[in-house]
Amino acid sequence: MLVRHLSYFVTLAREKHFARAAEACHVTQPTLSAAIRKLEEDLDARLVVRGQRFEGLTAEGEKVLIWGRQILTDYNSLKDDLGGAREGLTGALTLGVIPAAMPAVSFITARFAKAHPAATVEVRSLTSRAIQEGLDALELDGGMTYLENEPLQRVRRAPLYQERYVFVAHRGHRLASRRSITWAEAAREPLCLLSEDMQNRRIINNLAASIGVTVRPAVTSNSFLGVCSHLRHGGWAGIVPHTFFCVFPAAPDLVAIDLVEPAHSQAIGLVLSDREPRSPMAAALLASALDIDLEAELAAAIGRVAD
């Protein structure tokens, strides 16, 4: 059994289409099909349900997919480890980040890039659930997400900073001069919030429910860019993380007001697959994250924007 055959099989499981899988592997479709049949012969098991087209994996195929992902990850990590010892870390770091943590991610990737200039970084905006799936499928080297509200499974955690929430509105809003606003007051305003597939929104819903309030936004978006667009229009207000203005500093027409009753904070951290030995990419990512006081860095960045 060749590692290449496993790679073709894992790619087919991901693409769910023989022609697309062959294209992704840079081989012809007959070559890919022959390699997967050879893998089936070596393992003495039928792995793929075949018809006129790809129809899925057999029960044995699902088991081989789990093992195949692990074997390929370990094989690539071994090559990275050996190559890194000679030439420094190369390849791509793949990091899944929830939208709420996007303002903080560059502080970590900047340190990673400085320490490993031959490596590249791919940041994917994902929900917390998609980060879990990516870590389980060994498609991510790590993730930045909430640690407490809906904790991920089978991961190692490294806390990074505490997120708190602010009410954001146009400077012309009738509440714009306030220093603080209660959650009950905020819930009565026309709101634009993240959609409910985002954990940030589910946290907001739970906080409101804890004081007997229901949040019913007039507009939802799965992107903070969409939220910011509506806030700047002036017809809506929003509830966003306090790091919001690190990403949207060019918004002098918006004001941020502390949310109280209750005042709440939520831990955001780095999560890595709970596997040993840790891959060189995951180890380098963790080292970069632990090399920074992210709470202080974010506070300084927010202070610069406020000035």
Side-chain angles (χ1 to χ4, degrees), residues 20-306:
R20 287 200 302 268
E23 183 179 359
C25 293
H26 307 291
V27 297
T28 65
Q29 186 171 330
T31 297
L32 180 132
S33 296
I36 291 176
R37 289 189 184 281
K38 181 64 169 63
L39 181 62
E40 291 177 317
E41 291 175 8
D42 290 344
L43 296 174
D44 191 24
R46 185 177 176 226
L47 306 180
V48 179
V49 180
R50 296 176 176 86
Q52 294 289 343
R53 61 190 67 185
F54 175 84
E55 295 183 4
L57 301 181
T58 64
E60 292 87 350
E62 294 290 351
K63 291 182 180 179
V64 172
L65 177 60
I66 294 172
W67 282 100
R69 285 168 170 164
Q70 293 183 16
I71 291 168
L72 290 173
T73 297
D74 289 341
Y75 177 71
N76 290 328
S77 293
L78 172 61
K79 291 198 300 180
D80 290 343
D81 205 6
L82 294 174
R86 294 190 300 266
E87 306 163 1
L89 195 60
T90 60
L93 168 71
T94 307
L95 182 60
V97 182
I98 58 171
M102 278 295 181
V105 65
S106 61
F107 292 97
I108 294 174
T109 55
R111 278 166 172 72
F112 175 89
K114 183 178 180 180
H116 309 284
T120 60
V121 178
E122 178 184 352
V123 176
R124 300 179 185 175
S125 178
L126 299 172
T127 66
S128 56
R129 290 167 180 167
I131 289 174
Q132 174 77 79
E133 293 169 0
L135 290 172
D136 287 344
L138 305 178
E139 295 172 350
L140 297 175
D141 295 301
M144 285 179 63
T145 185
Y146 294 108
L147 298 183
E148 301 166 342
N149 185 54
E150 297 172 7
L152 302 181
Q153 304 298 316
R154 301 172 296 281
V155 298
R156 295 193 175 188
R157 302 166 177 80
L160 296 174
Y161 68 96
Q162 290 286 325
E163 174 186 274
R164 56 185 177 81
Y165 305 102
V166 293
F167 179 83
V168 176
H170 196 275
R171 286 194 180 276
H173 193 280
R174 62 184 181 80
L175 300 174
S177 62
R178 296 270 296 272
R179 294 179 62 87
S180 65
I181 180 174
T182 68
W183 281 85
E185 289 175 307
R188 291 195 290 268
E189 297 299 312
L191 295 175
C192 176
L193 301 177
L194 286 183
S195 49
E196 294 201 7
D197 58 327
M198 299 294 176
Q199 192 174 166
N200 171 271
R201 171 63 187 285
R202 297 194 293 275
I203 291 172
I204 289 173
N205 288 351
N206 291 337
L207 277 169
S210 72
I211 58 170
V213 172
T214 300
V215 176
R216 296 187 178 89
V219 179
T220 62
S221 173
N222 65 354
S223 161
F224 276 118
L225 183 60
V227 172
C228 185
S229 173
H230 287 81
L231 299 185
R232 298 197 69 179
H233 181 272
W236 299 270
I239 298 172
V240 301
H242 72 292
T243 56
F244 181 82
F245 287 104
C246 288
V247 175
F248 301 105
D253 48 343
L254 298 179
V255 294
I257 306 168
D258 288 337
L259 276 162
V260 296
E261 297 180 24
H264 180 83
S265 65
Q266 193 82 25
I268 285 182
L270 182 69
V271 290
L272 307 172
S273 180
D274 189 15
R275 300 180 69 239
E276 290 292 347
R278 189 174 293 139
S279 74
M281 282 293 178
L285 172 63
L286 179 60
S288 298
L290 296 179
D291 188 42
I292 179 176
D293 183 346
L294 200 48
E295 196 85 60
E297 294 278 1
L298 287 169
I302 293 169
R304 288 193 296 271
V305 171

